[in-house]
């Protein structure tokens, strides 16, 4: 008999602090044992993903930024090999600017958790939901207690190492961010810190990459939208209406165009 998922208490659904409660799943993927960490069912966080040109964009709101920042910070300190973080349904929304469903996202510390196409294909087939193999407390005290000076002393030298690696890839229908632990901490710190900033339409994103190096490949960013939930819910609802209409286009580009046209059309006078 499978275990039934127990929804967290209302206060825990919105918790983004230290010792965050998450679920762990032990999975055998492509001949390797993985620990897959996911948000608990009922957790009130939502994300979206869009690949636009050479930029890989993650969207959310302030609560999502606090949550994801803490996930990445804690992941950077994981000592158990092959531990990855998965954000999948039901924590994904239709992507802004894309009007298309978001793909599940995997964050893997490199090189401690190699995650190739075969592992991605196996994970997509076994996509974990529910309580899995129990609850884990995500310890992230350094994210809250380090001063800027302590951060610079601890991390500055690591972030200048030439061997730091990161990659973004689409693998078997999953978005895989493979990132060295020092960069995961930098990403976690920057993303979590966005929730404490005053956001404007012109300053609502953070670049995710190696800020000490010039890079000419793909880049990633975290983008916060103050009305993220309202806008993505409208897009999701409108997309469903477009696809259900008798004259729904088969071309994904036309589906996106029709969804935007309907979702953000000016009110009739």
């Amino acid at each position: 008999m499978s275990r039934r998922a127990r929804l967290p208490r209302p206060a825990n659904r919105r918790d983004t602090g230290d010792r965050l409660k998450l679920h762990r799943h032990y999975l055998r993927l492509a001949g390797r044992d993985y620990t897959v960490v996911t948000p608990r069912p009922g957790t009130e966080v939502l994300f979206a993903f869009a690949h636009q040109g050479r930029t890989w964009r993650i969207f959310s709101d302030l609560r999502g930024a606090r949550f994801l920042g803490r996930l990445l910070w804690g992941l950077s300190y994981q000592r158990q090999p092959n531990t990855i973080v998965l954000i999948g349904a039901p924590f994904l929304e239709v992507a802004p600017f894309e009007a298309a469903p978001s793909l599940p996202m995997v964050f893997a510390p490199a090189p401690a958790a190699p995650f190739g196409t075969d592992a991605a294909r196996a994970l997509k087939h076994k996509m974990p939901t529910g309580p899995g193999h129990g609850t884990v407390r995500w310890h992230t005290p350094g994210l809250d207690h380090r001063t800027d000076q302590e951060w610079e002393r601890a991390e500055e030298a690591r972030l200048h190492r030439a061997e730091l690696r990161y990659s973004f890839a689409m693998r078997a229908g999953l978005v895989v961010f493979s990132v060295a632990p020092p960069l995961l901490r930098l990403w976690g710190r920057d993303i979590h810190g966005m929730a404490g900033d005053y956001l404007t339409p012109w300053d609502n994103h953070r670049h995710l990459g190696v800020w000490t190096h010039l890079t000419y490949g793909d880049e990633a960013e975290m983008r916060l939208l103050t009305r993220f939930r309202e806008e993505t819910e409208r897009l999701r609802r409108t997309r469903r209406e477009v696809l259900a209409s008798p004259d729904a286009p088969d071309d994904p580009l036309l589906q996106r165009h029709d969804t935007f046209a309907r979702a953000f059309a000016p009110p009739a006078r």
Side-chain angles (χ1 to χ4, degrees):
M1 180 181 297
S2 62
R3 297 173 57 195
R4 295 182 58 188
R6 294 177 57 188
L7 295 180
R9 297 175 181 176
N12 291 334
R13 295 179 190 178
R14 297 182 291 274
D15 183 23
T16 58
D18 186 29
R19 294 177 57 82
L20 187 69
K21 282 187 176 182
L22 304 166
H23 277 160
R24 60 170 172 247
H25 312 259
Y26 300 129
L27 298 178
R28 182 78 173 174
L29 306 174
R32 192 187 300 268
D33 293 322
Y34 285 87
T35 300
V36 182
V37 178
T38 64
R40 300 170 75 202
T43 302
E44 294 183 3
V45 290
L46 284 174
F47 300 91
F49 170 81
H51 185 201
Q52 301 164 330
R54 304 189 70 174
T55 303
W56 303 61
R57 289 192 172 97
I58 304 171
F59 299 89
S60 191
D61 54 13
L62 293 175
R63 186 182 302 153
R66 296 188 189 99
F67 189 88
L68 181 59
R70 203 165 291 279
L71 283 186
L72 299 185
W73 181 278
L75 183 62
S76 74
Y77 285 104
Q78 290 304 305
R79 297 180 180 179
Q80 185 68 29
N82 303 324
T83 297
I84 63 174
V85 164
L86 168 67
I87 298 178
F91 306 103
L92 295 174
E93 266 289 8
V94 170
F97 313 127
E98 288 290 310
S102 298
L103 298 177
M105 294 181 288
V106 171
F107 297 90
F115 196 82
T117 301
D118 290 342
R121 186 177 295 110
L123 178 59
K124 187 176 181 181
H125 179 69
K126 301 179 180 180
M127 192 64 68
T129 58
H133 296 90
T135 301
V136 60
R137 289 281 190 175
W138 208 242
H139 295 272
T140 56
L143 181 58
D144 302 300
H145 299 149
R146 274 191 187 179
T147 65
D148 289 343
Q149 292 76 17
E150 289 171 338
W151 162 265
E152 291 173 1
R153 286 197 300 269
E155 305 293 341
E156 189 81 12
R158 297 188 182 99
L159 290 171
H160 279 82
R161 290 178 181 172
E163 69 268 19
L164 288 182
R165 65 183 75 177
Y166 69 100
S167 66
F168 318 130
M170 297 278 195
R171 295 192 174 126
L174 303 180
V175 182
V176 180
F177 295 91
S178 183
V179 186
L183 294 181
L184 280 173
R185 280 192 288 280
L186 176 64
W187 289 18
R189 178 176 183 260
D190 287 351
I191 292 173
H192 187 271
M194 293 178 73
D197 296 340
Y198 176 72
L199 297 180
T200 70
W202 305 276
D203 184 23
N204 62 351
H205 65 280
R206 292 294 180 271
H207 175 261
L208 305 178
V210 187
W211 60 276
T212 56
H213 299 274
L214 291 176
T215 59
Y216 301 96
D218 288 5
E219 58 183 18
E221 69 176 27
M222 179 75 187
R223 185 173 290 269
L224 300 193
L225 301 177
T226 55
R227 300 187 61 193
F228 171 74
R229 292 171 182 260
E230 294 88 341
E231 292 186 9
T232 54
E233 181 179 356
R234 181 192 303 178
L235 284 171
R236 173 167 45 84
R237 185 174 60 250
T238 307
R239 176 181 170 82
R240 189 165 54 239
E241 295 171 356
V242 167
L243 296 180
S245 63
D247 57 346
D250 295 327
D251 188 334
L253 291 178
L254 293 178
Q255 293 173 4
R256 181 172 63 184
H257 178 272
D258 287 358
T259 299
F260 274 115
R262 292 194 192 187
F264 300 105
R269 294 185 178 181

